[in-house]
């Protein structure tokens, strides 16, 4: 079986500085795969490259059987790859519902779009309750919910989430993680970047630890959760 996403020896640079130095990993359909690692390891750079926002200097990206090399960013969404970016990037003056609709900008199946908006409200009740309000009035955690809901509106084959729990209270973080688990249970394939290694590894099928542009350790979520070096470096144990 070929994987939904295959990344092979990917290298990405900002000018002369190589931020991703030849990483390889796969995401099989239905899996949750997580990239964890310290600040500046290259996780966001990797996701931005997969979305077509950055051009790699080397390596291969195969998504759903085709190379993404020559596919421009705006077409990558239409192939089924959605990105909920670090820092969320919702549109604060637009209503919550209009933010969600933006996520469906490539679709014209009206009934399907309405159904998926309802699904976002089912996943995140607060979004439904406040659908007509400006998105900028949402709290940080609620904006994160909106960013995830918006990414889902494109009906992605692969949902990429960049630090969905960043800056959230423990309760909000739990809610976001529970929703990721719910999405996984309903068959959504997810590539999850997280600082919260414990939470990410707990629900991941596969995990990769990144350090200064390289993947230094890979394994199942459970393997990595029990790995001594991971426990020391990322789970706050000594
Ligand atoms: N636009 C840019 N120009 C130059 N260097 C950049 C740029 N964006 C990121 N970098 C550098 O590339 C490296 C990787 O950054 P990246 O944002 O991918 O890390 P990250 O793993 O997502 O970190 P964090 O956990 O802090 O979000 C860092 O050294 C960063 O300073
Ligand atoms: Mg980042």
């Amino acid at each position: 079986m070929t994987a939904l996403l295959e990344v092979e020896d990917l290298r990405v640079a900002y000018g002369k500085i190589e931020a991703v130095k030849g990483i390889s990993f796969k995401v099989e359909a239905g899996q949750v795969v997580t990239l964890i690692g310290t600040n500046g390891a290259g996780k966001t750079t990797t996701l931005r490259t997969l979305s077509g926002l950055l051009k790699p200097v080397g390596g291969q990206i195969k998504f759903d059987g085709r190379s993404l090399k020559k596919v421009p960013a705006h077409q990558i969404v239409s192939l089924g790859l959605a990105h909920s970016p670090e820092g969320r990037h919702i549109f604060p003056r637009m209503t919550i519902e209009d933010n969600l609709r933006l996520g469906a900008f490539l679709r014209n199946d009206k009934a399907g779009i309405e159904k998926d908006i309802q699904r976002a409200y089912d996943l995140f009740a607060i979004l439904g309750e406040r659908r007509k309000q400006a998105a900028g009035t949402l709290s940080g955690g609620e904006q994160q919910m909106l960013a995830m809901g918006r990414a889902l509106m494109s009906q992605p084959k692969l949902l990429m989430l960049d630090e969905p729990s960043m800056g959230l209270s423990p309760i909000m973080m739990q809610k976001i993680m529970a929703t990721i688990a719910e999405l996984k249970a309903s068959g959504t394939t997810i590539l999850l970047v997280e600082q919260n290694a414990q939470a990410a590894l707990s629900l991941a099928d596969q995990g990769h630890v990144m350090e200064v542009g390289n993947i230094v350790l890979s394994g199942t979520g459970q393997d990595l959760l029990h790995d001594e070096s991971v426990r020391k470096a990322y789970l706050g144990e000594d």
Side-chain angles (χ1 to χ4, degrees):
M1 194 179 97
T2 54
L4 179 60
L5 176 72
E6 292 183 43
V7 175
E8 184 77 39
D9 199 26
L10 183 69
R11 292 189 295 118
V12 191
Y14 298 102
K16 285 196 177 118
I17 301 164
E18 221 172 45
V20 172
K21 301 174 182 173
I23 63 168
S24 302
F25 65 94
K26 290 180 185 180
V27 181
E28 308 273 356
Q31 278 189 331
V32 173
V33 174
T34 187
L35 303 178
I36 60 170
T38 44
N39 292 121
K43 306 179 300 293
T44 295
T45 302
T46 301
L47 294 196
R48 290 178 59 82
T49 308
L50 295 175
S51 283
L53 299 171
L54 295 169
K55 230 176 124 40
V57 292
Q60 301 293 332
I61 303 167
K62 250 175 119 182
F63 179 67
D64 206 16
R66 64 181 279 183
S67 167
L68 292 191
K69 207 159 212 167
K70 297 210 171 80
V71 185
H74 66 274
Q75 275 177 25
I76 287 182
V77 182
S78 64
L79 296 179
L81 216 165
H83 186 175
S84 174
E86 194 174 19
R88 322 190 240 281
H89 299 284
I90 56 130
F91 294 91
R93 293 192 196 177
M94 289 173 59
T95 65
I96 288 157
E97 185 149 313
D98 285 344
N99 268 271
L100 286 174
R101 283 186 197 287
L102 270 187
F105 73 101
L106 288 166
R107 298 172 58 184
N108 41 32
D109 57 321
K110 232 172 157 230
I113 292 171
E114 296 313 312
K115 204 167 137 227
D116 284 348
I117 285 181
Q118 197 48 55
R119 177 163 173 251
Y121 295 156
D122 291 342
L123 277 174
F124 302 112
I126 188 80
L127 300 184
E129 288 160 21
R130 295 175 58 184
R131 64 184 81 188
K132 297 292 176 210
Q133 286 183 30
T137 65
L138 294 171
S139 75
E142 291 159 358
Q143 289 185 22
Q144 185 58 56
M145 295 172 184
L146 179 56
M148 279 174 68
R150 186 181 57 190
L152 283 167
M153 289 301 297
S154 66
Q155 296 186 309
K157 293 184 181 125
L158 176 64
L159 175 65
M160 302 197 295
L161 302 172
D162 197 348
E163 307 225 12
S165 80
M166 185 164 54
L168 303 190
S169 68
I171 286 177
M172 275 292 186
M173 196 202 74
Q174 271 180 18
K175 165 73 183 150
I176 293 284
M177 287 300 163
T179 306
I180 294 172
E182 211 177 312
L183 291 172
K184 172 184 157 85
S186 69
T188 309
T189 309
I190 298 170
L191 179 56
L192 171 65
V193 164
E194 254 301 327
Q195 290 273 338
N196 187 328
Q198 174 85 44
L201 292 173
S202 301
L203 54 86
D205 297 291
Q206 284 287 318
H208 305 281
V209 180
M210 285 189 77
E211 277 174 19
V212 286
N214 292 298
I215 289 178
V216 294
L217 190 63
S218 300
T220 66
Q222 288 304 312
D223 284 349
L224 293 180
L225 263 183
H226 297 110
D227 181 274
E228 201 172 331
S229 63
V230 171
R231 298 191 73 84
K232 275 189 183 153
Y234 299 102
L235 306 177
E237 295 188 2
D238 45 34

